[in-house]
Amino acid sequence: FTKKEELTFDPENSWNYEVGLKTLFWNGKLNANVSVFYIDWKNQQIYQPVETGQGSYLTNAGESESKGIELELRAKPFKNLSLDASYGYTDAAFVKYMKNDTTDLSGNSIPYVPQHTLFVNATYKIAMKQVLESVLLNANYRLVGEHFWNDENTFSQDSYGMLNGKISAQKGAFTLELWGKNLLNSDYNAFYFEALGNQYVQKGRPTTVGMNLIVKF
């Protein structure tokens, strides 16, 4: 470090507000929840590159706001069938952010925060009397909306979805699971970072299948 002010930083603080409503319908078979939130973030600690470009330091560089809504639905229309769905909308942006003396990033979206998220899940239980006690079928789909990877909002990840599934067979203390993740083989980047003037990405995992054996004592 070459500057004294680059050696220290002040604490950051935030005010968080949230209000929600939880409801039950259909004799408890349908649960609907909604909540809205607002976060006011001051003295935000953000990593900045040093003047030489070799490394970074932490400083109080920004102020930001995050606001949005979350919706949840849970239903059990039949004895052995459970359905879940959730949706989230988030608007997270820098209110004030001077990256350096000439670069004003105020108004840019905060990195790594998807604007839209969606999750849908279905579970069906098959009760059995012979050989096995039960078989559980599960499938879920997760959608991650577009989000930016850097403060400048010059690199981003497009929206992508992943379909996952699992079959579980139970007998006494034993449970055998056969599972698959990203069954549609969605192509996406799971992480991005910059170092020493270069950009790096971590690719998301392709279709993956496996098996678990669980024993309860």
Side-chain angles (χ1 to χ4, degrees), residues 141-158:
Y141 182 80
R142 185 183 301 274
L143 175 70
V144 179
E146 180 183 11
H147 50 281
F148 293 99
W149 290 124
N150 59 346
D151 297 340
E152 291 80 6
N153 289 180
T154 53
F155 297 96
S156 64
Q157 169 60 52
D158 293 335

Side-chain angles (χ1 to χ4, degrees), residues 84-201:
D84 301 271
S86 61
Y87 167 77
Y89 169 80
T90 303
D91 179 13
F94 294 109
V95 175
K96 180 181 178 181
Y97 181 13
M98 290 296 299
K99 191 172 182 69
N100 51 50
D101 294 338
T102 59
T103 307
D104 185 0
L105 301 182
S106 303
N108 281 14
S109 296
I110 298 177
Y112 303 100
V113 182
Q115 191 172 57
H116 303 277
T117 56
L118 176 68
F119 179 74
V120 181
N121 181 77
T123 302
Y124 186 75
K125 183 177 182 180
I126 304 175
M128 307 185 72
K129 296 181 180 180
Q130 296 179 350
V131 184
L132 298 173
E133 293 179 5
S134 65
V135 174
L136 207 64
L137 308 178
N138 174 263
N140 63 73
Y141 182 80
R142 185 183 301 274
L143 175 70
V144 179
E146 180 183 11
H147 50 281
F148 293 99
W149 290 124
N150 59 346
D151 297 340
E152 291 80 6
N153 289 180
T154 53
F155 297 96
S156 64
Q157 169 60 52
D158 293 335
S159 299
Y160 65 91
M162 289 190 294
L163 177 65
N164 308 305
K166 182 169 64 176
I167 301 175
S168 304
Q170 183 180 359
K171 176 65 174 181
F174 298 89
T175 301
L176 180 64
E177 297 179 341
L178 302 177
W179 53 266
K181 297 181 179 180
N182 194 11
L183 295 175
L184 299 179
N185 202 31
S186 297
D187 184 18
Y188 67 98
N189 294 325
F191 189 70
Y192 166 96
F193 68 97
E194 300 176 2
L196 303 178
N198 298 314
Q199 293 83 38
Y200 303 89
V201 295

Side-chain angles (χ1 to χ4, degrees), residues 23 42 47 58 73 75 78 99 111 126 182 201-202:
T23 61
K42 303 292 186 183
Y47 279 100
L58 193 61
L73 287 175
F78 308 107
K99 191 172 182 69
I126 304 175
N182 194 11
V201 295
Q202 177 183 337

